[in-house]
């Protein structure tokens, strides 16, 4: 039997993430709602569990923010 590596991601609820960052909860929810079109989903920043649970992976979110800055020509 082979041993599988277990990856534990640092996940936060939307309200937890809002409390730790300068982003507001409504702003985060809007981005999550539009994650397929704004690129947030492609950075694995959003984790959906069950029907309604949504978590944010800070590493993926940071990568998405950096990509937004790069796309607009801003230094990140």
């Amino acid at each position: 039997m082979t041993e599988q590596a277990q990856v534990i991601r640092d996940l936060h609820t939307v309200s937890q993430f809002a409390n730790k960052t300068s982003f507001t909860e409504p702003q985060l929810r809007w981005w999550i709602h539009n994650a397929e079109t704004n690129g947030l989903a492609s950075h694995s920043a959003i984790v959906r569990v069950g029907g309604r649970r949504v978590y944010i992976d800070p590493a993926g979110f940071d990568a998405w923010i950096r990509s937004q800055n790069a796309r607009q020509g801003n230094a990140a």
Side-chain angles (χ1 to χ4, degrees), residues 54-67:
V54 177
Y55 298 94
I56 298 174
D57 182 336
F61 189 86
D62 183 58
W64 177 71
I65 289 290
R66 289 177 188 277
S67 75

Side-chain angles (χ1 to χ4, degrees), residues 8-59:
I8 299 174
R9 293 170 71 179
D10 181 28
L11 302 177
H12 301 277
T13 65
V14 176
S15 59
Q16 287 172 335
F17 193 74
N19 288 333
K20 293 182 177 190
T21 65
S22 59
F23 303 109
T24 66
E25 192 169 335
Q27 183 179 34
L28 291 168
R29 291 194 185 282
W30 176 255
W31 286 333
I32 291 166
H33 179 75
N34 294 288
E36 293 300 324
T37 56
N38 65 20
L40 190 57
S42 66
H43 285 86
S44 300
I46 306 301
V47 177
R48 297 181 190 274
V49 178
R52 298 185 58 134
R53 293 277 182 193
V54 177
Y55 298 94
I56 298 174
D57 182 336

